[in-house]
Amino acid sequence: MKPSTNRMLTRIKSIYVFIKEKGTVTTQELVDEFGITPRTIQRDLNVLAYNDLVKSTHRGYWTTTEKKVRVSS
């Protein structure tokens, strides 16, 4: 796997875990927490949403779904 792909997957997993721990977060909270651009956060959220791991409760607010996930290190 390319280093950039590995970095992206690690970041997406971290975002998922952050949302899971906080319950509901805003896109801006994610930008502030991870120090990346709003566009990159949105792309990562789209990946998570496509895989039915997060959903937007209303514009700009995100929470995890009930889908069972095992997060490895």
Side-chain angles (χ1 to χ4, degrees):
M1 187 178 331
K2 290 177 16 180
S4 59
T5 302
N6 194 33
R7 202 168 44 246
M8 178 193 67
L9 292 174
T10 300
R11 186 182 65 240
I12 289 173
K13 183 169 73 171
S14 297
I15 291 168
Y16 175 79
V17 170
F18 182 80
I19 297 170
K20 186 89 169 153
E21 289 172 355
K22 296 287 184 176
T24 300
V25 299
T26 65
T27 305
Q28 187 59 49
E29 284 178 87
L30 294 169
V31 168
D32 295 342
E33 177 70 22
F34 292 95
I36 52 182
T37 67
R39 182 66 192 117
T40 300
I41 285 291
Q42 192 59 55
R43 272 195 224 93
D44 293 348
L45 289 167
N46 288 343
V47 169
L48 289 166
Y50 178 82
N51 287 287
D52 196 31
L53 298 173
V54 300
K55 63 183 175 185
S56 180
T57 54
H58 52 282
R59 190 173 178 97
Y61 288 82
W62 298 88
T63 190
T64 55
T65 63
E66 297 298 317
K67 187 173 184 177
K68 299 285 184 204
V69 177
R70 185 176 62 198
V71 179
S72 60
S73 55

